Amino acid sequence: MKSKEIRTTIRKELKNAKCSVTDKDYAHPSKSWVSGRLYSKFSKWLWDNNLDRWETYNDCDNYAFALRVFASLSHAKTMQVYHKMGRKTYQGVSIGVMFYKIAGDDNRRHAINFMVTSDNQLLYIEPQTGKWYELTQEEKDSTWFAII
């Protein structure tokens, strides 16, 4: 998916968010791969590095950006193999970071990850638990920044 399509998909659902799309095109991982293989390796990496507990200095945005980077590095390794095989490669992977207000409450700001699917849907995952979320319309409308 091209960056313009990614931006359109994000802006359609997160209307008030400033949106930064950083790559020219994106691969779309499956939901099962993200919550299965990727999250399993990510949580093991957190555990191995003693980063698996929330602290004021290791909070929601740290987890969200860490999962985004972890997904990007995993994607890069896959693209190296694809390139050697002569298969199409994509510059980015469609997993991003977003900031919103829980229940629209200005005092409850939170960062999570989102994924753009191949059928132009947004899915939301909590990087601290690996659980998929359904955001309310109020929470979507309270989103002020998304980067992918």
Side-chain angles (χ1 to χ4, degrees):
M1 183 177 282
K2 299 290 185 188
S3 62
K4 184 176 180 179
E5 295 170 275
I6 291 281
R7 181 182 306 282
T8 300
T9 299
I10 295 168
R11 296 291 294 156
K12 185 173 136 185
E13 194 157 323
L14 306 175
K15 295 174 177 66
N16 299 320
K18 179 177 180 183
C19 180
S20 181
V21 178
T22 61
D23 291 313
K24 73 174 184 170
D25 58 9
Y26 291 82
H28 299 285
S30 69
K31 181 179 178 181
S32 62
W33 179 81
V34 171
S35 57
R37 186 171 179 161
L38 178 69
Y39 195 80
S40 175
K41 288 183 175 192
F42 175 66
S43 60
K44 181 182 181 327
W45 177 81
L46 291 172
W47 174 266
D48 289 348
N49 289 283
N50 199 29
L51 297 169
D52 59 318
R53 288 175 303 283
W54 183 94
E55 301 285 348
T56 56
Y57 48 82
N58 189 34
D59 59 1
C60 61
D61 61 313
N62 298 92
Y63 280 98
F65 278 111
L67 181 57
R68 164 88 171 100
V69 169
F70 199 86
S72 293
L73 294 174
S74 178
H75 168 74
K77 288 175 69 174
T78 300
M79 291 302 102
Q80 288 174 338
V81 172
Y82 278 25
H83 178 71
K84 287 179 184 175
M85 295 171 59
R87 292 180 63 183
K88 178 167 177 47
T89 60
Y90 299 90
Q91 192 172 20
V93 63
S94 63
I95 296 173
V97 176
M98 61 178 280
F99 296 85
Y100 74 101
K101 300 171 188 173
I102 297 173
D105 183 345
D106 199 43
N107 294 314
R108 298 179 66 207
R109 295 170 181 246
H110 193 45
I112 60 171
N113 295 96
F114 67 93
M115 178 177 120
V116 180
T117 66
S118 59
D119 61 346
N120 298 325
Q121 302 297 312
L122 290 188
L123 302 177
Y124 307 97
I125 188 168
E126 170 56 68
Q128 296 174 69
T129 64
K131 294 186 190 305
W132 295 96
Y133 271 33
E134 290 289 332
L135 296 183
T136 66
Q137 190 60 51
E138 184 177 35
E139 289 170 331
K140 292 174 187 177
D141 291 345
S142 75
T143 303
W144 69 89
F145 185 65
I147 184 169
I148 191 166

